[in-house]
Amino acid sequence: MSVPDYMQCAEDHQTALVVVQPMGIVPEDQFFRIYKRIASVSQVSIRDSQRVLFIRYRHHYPPENNEWGDFQTHRKVVGLISVTSCTTTKEWPQTSDRFQGQKEVFGSTLYDSRLLVFGLQGEVAEQQRTDVAFYPSYDDCPDVEKRVEDFVESIFIVLESKRLDRATDKSGDKIQLLCAPFEKKDFVGLDTDSRHYKKRCQGRMRKHVGDLCLQAGMLQDALVHYHMAVELLRSVNDFLWLGAALEGLCSASVIFHYPGGTAWKSGARKPGVSSAADAGKRHRPGAQEVLIDPGALTTNGISADTSTEIGRAKNCLSQEDIIEKYKEAISYYGKYKSAGVIELEACIKAVRVLAIQKRAREASECLQNVVYINLGQLSEEEKIQRYSVLSELYELIGFHRKSAFFKRVAAMQCVAPTIPEPGWKACYKLLLETLPGYSLSLDPKDFSKGTHRGWAAVQLRLLHELVYASRRMGNPGLSVRHLSFLLVWYDLKERLYVCCCHKNNNTHSLSLSTEKKEVTQSLENYTSKCPGGMEVISLPDGLKLPPVSFTKLPIVRSVSLLNLPVSLRPHKVKGLLGQGMSSASPFIYSPITMHSRGDERSKKIDFQWVQGDVCEVQLMVYNPMPFELRVENMGLLTSGVDFESLPAALSLPAESGLYPVTLVGVPRTAGNITINGYHTSVFGVSSDCLLEGLVGVKSSGCMVEVVPSLPRLQLCTSLPRSAHLSSEDLSTSVSLRLFNGEMQQLTITLENIGTETLNTLELTSKNLSTKEKLFGEFLTWDLQDALSHLPLKSGQSVSIPVNISAKLDFSGQENLLHDLNDDGISVTGLPVSSPLRQVLKPRAENKPVGSDASKNEFNHVKMLEAVLTFKYSGGAGQVEGYSRELSLGVRVDVEPSVFFTRVSTLPATSTRQCHLLLDVFNSTEHELTLSAKNNQDLVLHASECQRHSSLRRHGEASVEGVLNQLILEHLQLAPLQWDVVVNGKPCDCDVIADCRVGDAVPLEVKLTNRSKSAVGPFSLTVVPFQDYQNGVQNYDLQDAVSFIGSNTFYISTVKPTENSVCVGALLFLYTGDFYLNIKFQDDSTARDLPPAWFCLPSVHVKAQEPVEL
């Protein structure tokens, strides 16, 4: 026998072998469908008996194996079922002849046979035959199982008759010598009359009867016969058949102890009941003892009555003895080279029993013996089957790595050079099955579950073999997936080398670098034809290959969600209901709510993104590869809202340090968005890398709120941009240089570059220069014109003029004053800046040649800083109470311009006026022109001091802070206002009242009390005089001027805010220029008030000739 049955198990000894074969042209799928139905009848309970007949079906059985039927009856083909297709009556004779031919192959051992004919209808099909069944089609055959059961019962009848014939053989000394196929030539010429020969015949026949009893369901009888056969065969040293008897004894004992069977699919065979007595004994584990009478072992025959044998000898082996007897039987088989298949199958049976008994080490020793059994020249298919079964048996006893080794050998045997058509698919399938044994999983997630296991070198070899096998299969997608996994595996291998191989680390690093380079080159070649993706690859056998993510290409160390730029950040309107709390609860604080949302809050960022705006996430990455790494299509993986990721590409140098990478995207809807990870494309393989699967990644949070869309403004100014102010976080900044007192207009243009309409706009300012004394407003504007353009749609713009006025106090320039005093100029007032507007050229960057350096030292520059904030809103964000702020920083460097170094006053001709004398110093490097209200211009050259008279009306100081208290008192208007009207004309300053000689000239004096208390009474005297402009004044004018009435006026008490009027008249007798001096009489009331309160204007009257009629 040259073909072993690797599926053999101990319980197969009680089965009858039936071969089911197709005949003629039968569709394969239809045949195996019928075969499965036939094989479902694996055991049949015999009618009128408590015995069960077990059937073992094979669709292929070598005829040479049938020759061992006498040695072990379960190897004998006792039944044949042929399946054929026959459509016409003409084909039937030929079909019948073929059936007869098939029976002749196993004719010497067949008990019965059946022919199942499909497709034949008509007269022939209507014939009633026991050995032939006709069916219209493969789908219309309802009683196949019933016919098979009848067929099995017919086999049992023959089997039982043979058992009885052998057991009751009374031929005396003429017992037939049963032989194995290779023994027939060895027994030629032996002495058949010797005692030794007769015992051999008796022992072999006892063993044969035991096999028949075991097949017929008589377990206890079989045990008795096996024991008797062992004693007889041991006495004559018939080792081959002694081994068979011992194996039979072990098989019967295994069937008794393990009714569920020893095959892999436990429970496939139902426990059989050999006798009524057996059923009552099986509740007790261990060996069952049955005594037999030694006298029953006669030398000339076999007694059929075994009832007298009970009570003297052991029957069933214990579980421990079963293995010992198996080992003894195997050792006897090993003595015969031709019994190699029998020895191999016995080892397999013993291994299955040892596996059930959890005796893995002994089972391994048996399997090791199987490896060295020489079966001669085996075909490649037989070698594959042998290694596959060895692998499965090692797996059965828990030797997973040894199982993987033999399965890998079987895989390599599938593509041996001697095979004309290598089976790469079978090779690939077997290689996949070796992965668990080598502690290798193709799921990258398993790498993060604990420390690495298995031999790295073997795993590397296996991964390369998977790549090669998948390529030879013509499946580049599988090759890409395995190469991708290989790169991930290299990272783990490198870490193991770094931890465990410190001495040879350089050698290992160099080897790994070379291997990585080769793998990446191969991967790029494969992905050029078939790009790798994140889909799960399903194999035909149901295995699924999970996607491989390049989480280490590049390695990410930190993930940070970035806030929007200052100008785009949303601001929540304060005081809105529901801000910062859940509106679903009426309580301000609920510990239950806080606890349930704790995890979410711990991950949420404290700023917001805006729908429709570009948002950024920064990753710190580095390249661990020893070569440049190109990463393409790198973007974000998000959930929660609709998010449009904008992919990026980067190139990292070999073994680079940490490198910042900013990934951007646009949220298209509002809500809470979670950054789950990122996706990349490296070496043509697309990867989805989830943050939860990354080790050692620092992150401040992965969730951020996206508020509804808001308008977006772009700010442009009429001045160039400058560096931002150091103390403020601004959108943009401008800077300019002004002389003190100068004013300049800044035009700000706001353009709506977003998609939402701008509905509201507010403008505020904040001065940052708190140390400088500022006169007036620094920044002023009018927003009404801009507001009239709202709402501002997308693409529209609006301009806002802002006036910048620099009025600072430079009074602290003590060095400058000291320098001026050195020049001989007296300073009576504080040196402060002038509010007058200067017209000048821009300051030169370099000092002019010949300039006085000592003077330029006093050109100190002061700085003014302010922030203009535009608060605006619109769109859906406005409904939710959000707005944006756009900040513009304004920085002005203020240079000193004009100093008033000396201040004094001179009397004037009017009670409402006086002369203010100012000494002006030009501290600039430019020529200045000062313009007063009387349009008088004064040209001041650089660093020049001249005296200039500035006339101010209405008693208001022209410069804030320039005058000391004494001068201010002189400049202040008296609280008593005196108005003199001559001939209907107010007289003040140089005003001349005209009149005619001989006409009465009305004179009116009006007092208005602007003080806080009542004044008066007062007495006024009018004295006329003439001024000859040479220092001589003539008061003797009795003949020239006459008063109509008295020249003295009396004014009673005048209350605050009230007035009093005195009226008189004069008559001029001659022509000429006359002056009226109005004096107060010296009384107690006048002396209590300041003299300045009684300053009346002088009156100039010009008398002309009367008009002739």
Side-chain angles (χ1 to χ4, degrees), residues 523-590:
L523 185 58
E524 288 179 330
N525 292 334
Y526 283 115
T527 54
S528 62
K529 303 175 183 178
C530 180
M534 291 298 297
E535 67 279 357
V536 176
I537 298 179
S538 298
L539 300 178
D541 57 353
L543 181 65
K544 297 182 182 296
L545 293 183
V548 177
S549 298
F550 285 161
T551 58
K552 303 294 184 181
L553 298 175
I555 296 178
V556 177
R557 282 299 178 219
S558 66
V559 178
S560 301
L561 278 67
L562 303 183
N563 200 352
L564 292 174
V566 179
S567 60
L568 298 180
R569 295 174 186 173
H571 299 272
K572 185 74 171 178
V573 177
K574 296 182 180 180
L576 287 181
L577 179 63
Q579 182 181 3
M581 62 178 288
S582 175
S583 60
S585 174
F587 302 103
I588 297 176
Y589 170 76
S590 172

Side-chain angles (χ1 to χ4, degrees), residues 132-348:
V132 180
F134 297 95
Y135 297 101
S137 66
Y138 290 98
D139 298 327
D140 187 10
C141 50
D143 63 341
V144 169
E145 291 82 0
K146 182 63 173 63
R147 287 185 175 271
V148 173
E149 291 179 2
D150 295 339
F151 171 66
V152 171
E153 289 184 355
S154 67
I155 291 178
F156 176 78
I157 294 173
V158 178
L159 174 64
E160 181 67 9
S161 64
K162 288 185 174 290
R163 182 190 71 83
L164 293 174
D165 290 343
R166 297 289 187 179
T168 58
D169 189 359
K170 301 297 183 181
S171 57
D173 296 337
K174 300 297 182 180
I175 299 177
Q176 178 184 357
L177 178 63
L178 302 176
C179 300
F182 69 91
E183 289 181 318
K184 294 178 180 180
K185 60 181 180 179
D186 297 335
F187 290 143
V188 176
L190 288 179
D191 183 8
T192 59
D193 296 330
S194 65
R195 182 179 178 87
H196 186 277
Y197 180 82
K198 291 179 180 179
K199 279 193 174 184
R200 175 177 293 185
C201 294
Q202 292 174 1
R204 291 188 178 190
M205 185 58 68
R206 279 284 184 184
K207 185 266 175 193
H208 181 69
V209 173
D211 289 345
L212 293 176
C213 290
L214 189 61
Q215 285 183 310
M218 301 177 67
L219 179 62
Q220 293 296 339
D221 288 24
L223 287 170
V224 171
H225 288 292
Y226 285 139
H227 274 290
M228 298 172 66
V230 167
E231 297 299 330
L232 288 170
L233 295 172
R234 193 186 300 275
S235 64
V236 294
N237 294 331
D238 192 354
F239 296 115
L240 179 64
W241 283 79
L242 176 60
L246 290 172
E247 185 183 357
L249 181 61
C250 292
S251 298
S253 300
V254 168
I255 293 171
F256 181 85
H257 285 293
Y258 308 106
T262 61
W264 290 314
K265 296 180 181 180
S266 61
R269 178 182 287 108
K270 297 180 182 179
V273 181
S274 58
S275 65
D278 295 341
K281 297 177 181 179
R282 289 185 181 177
H283 70 279
R284 181 166 55 90
Q288 306 294 325
E289 295 183 357
V290 177
L291 300 179
I292 61 175
D293 185 4
L297 301 177
T298 61
T299 58
N300 59 354
I302 298 176
S303 174
D305 185 8
T306 59
S307 59
T308 60
E309 301 167 359
I310 299 176
R312 295 192 180 182
K314 286 188 176 181
N315 185 1
C316 183
L317 300 176
S318 66
Q319 296 182 8
E320 294 75 14
D321 290 340
I322 290 174
I323 302 303
E324 295 301 324
K325 298 303 181 182
Y326 260 127
K327 291 180 180 179
E328 184 180 356
I330 293 171
S331 65
Y332 292 149
Y333 290 149
K335 297 178 180 291
Y336 300 89
K337 184 177 180 180
S338 300
V341 174
I342 305 297
E343 179 186 2
L344 184 145
E345 292 181 357
C347 290
I348 293 175

